[in-house]
């Protein structure tokens, strides 16, 4: 079993980054029935990891990606560390591997681990229909997916939140 490592190949990272950003754009026009909200800090919890694994199993997928969308992966992270702020998590990797990846030093800069240096992040299956996005300034994250995925997630994860009245996702 290999441990997850930062994505170092632009041919792997760039299509995932484009896919994640495309899904972020879709959030602004998604119907309320396609969205569930969670605390952006939940990514550091066991139950959140279990939700991701349950969603993968629900759709018959095994692997997923976590990546930082802000700060800019290209002008900041890749420029300084010659790798990208993301990980492909394989089915044979454990929950400990997942949590350790978010704490991993990208290279002589522990303060730039993804946990400490991620304002916006995404979680997405490879392949799959659901998508998670969080913005720490909002203190919220959102799961977007088709109705069957949303119903399954709601039944599995007891920590979904209601956003404040008037909250909207703005591009």
């Amino acid at each position: 079993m290999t441990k997850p490592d930062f994505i170092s190949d632009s041919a792997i990272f760039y299509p995932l980054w484009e896919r994640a950003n495309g899904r972020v754009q879709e959030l602004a026009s998604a119907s309320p029935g396609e969205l569930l909200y969670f605390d952006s800090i939940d990514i550091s919890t066991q139950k959140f990891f279990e939700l991701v694994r349950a969603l993968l199993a629900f759709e018959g997928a095994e692997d997923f990606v976590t990546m930082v969308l802000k700060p800019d992966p290209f002008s900041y992270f890749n420029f300084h560390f010659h790798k990208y702020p993301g990980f492909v998590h394989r089915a044979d990797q454990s929950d400990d591997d997942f949590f350790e990846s978010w704490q991993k030093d990208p290279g002589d800069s522990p303060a730039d681990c993804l946990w400490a240096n991620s304002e916006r992040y995404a979680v997405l299956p490879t392949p799959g229909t659901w998508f998670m996005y969080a913005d720490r300034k909002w203190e919220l994250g959102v799961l977007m997916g088709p109705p069957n995925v949303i119903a399954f997630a709601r039944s599995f994860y007891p920590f979904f939140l209601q956003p404040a009245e008037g909250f909207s996702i703005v591009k």
Side-chain angles (χ1 to χ4, degrees):
M1 174 175 61
T2 60
K3 299 274 189 185
D5 201 1
F6 289 99
I7 298 170
S8 58
D9 186 343
S10 63
I12 293 170
F13 184 80
Y14 194 74
L16 293 168
W17 179 81
E18 283 187 318
R19 184 173 150 215
N21 278 293
R23 299 300 307 264
V24 170
Q25 297 303 313
E26 292 174 25
L27 289 171
S29 60
S31 70
E34 295 175 289
L35 305 175
L36 292 173
Y37 296 90
F38 57 91
D39 191 312
S40 60
I41 197 90
D42 284 3
I43 195 166
S44 65
T45 68
Q46 182 68 35
K47 194 67 176 168
F48 185 89
F49 177 80
E50 291 168 4
L51 170 64
V52 170
R53 286 293 192 195
L55 288 168
L56 291 169
F58 182 76
E59 289 197 323
E62 294 182 343
D63 303 337
F64 68 101
V65 174
T66 58
M67 66 173 46
V68 171
L69 302 177
K70 187 175 181 183
D72 183 272
F74 303 99
S75 66
Y76 179 77
F77 205 87
N78 186 260
F79 178 79
H80 290 290
F81 304 112
H82 310 290
K83 52 188 87 165
Y84 296 95
F87 293 88
V88 177
H89 302 275
R90 306 284 181 211
D92 65 345
Q93 294 166 338
S94 71
D95 53 349
D96 287 339
D97 294 333
F98 171 75
F99 295 119
E100 287 170 14
S101 71
W102 278 83
Q103 299 292 328
K104 191 174 180 82
D105 180 347
D108 297 325
S109 184
D112 281 307
C113 71
L114 300 189
W115 180 246
N117 196 19
S118 61
E119 184 178 326
R120 297 179 188 156
Y121 67 81
V123 180
L124 56 154
T126 58
T129 62
W130 56 271
F131 172 72
M132 292 179 179
Y133 172 75
D135 187 322
R136 292 184 194 250
K137 283 187 179 180
W138 293 348
E139 298 181 359
L140 275 179
V142 62
L143 166 65
M144 180 174 68
N148 65 330
V149 169
I150 295 299
F152 172 78
R154 182 176 284 131
S155 72
F156 183 87
Y157 192 70
F159 305 109
F160 287 113
L161 306 169
Q162 288 297 322
E165 191 165 328
F167 175 81
S168 68
I169 297 170
V170 180
K171 298 181 209 176

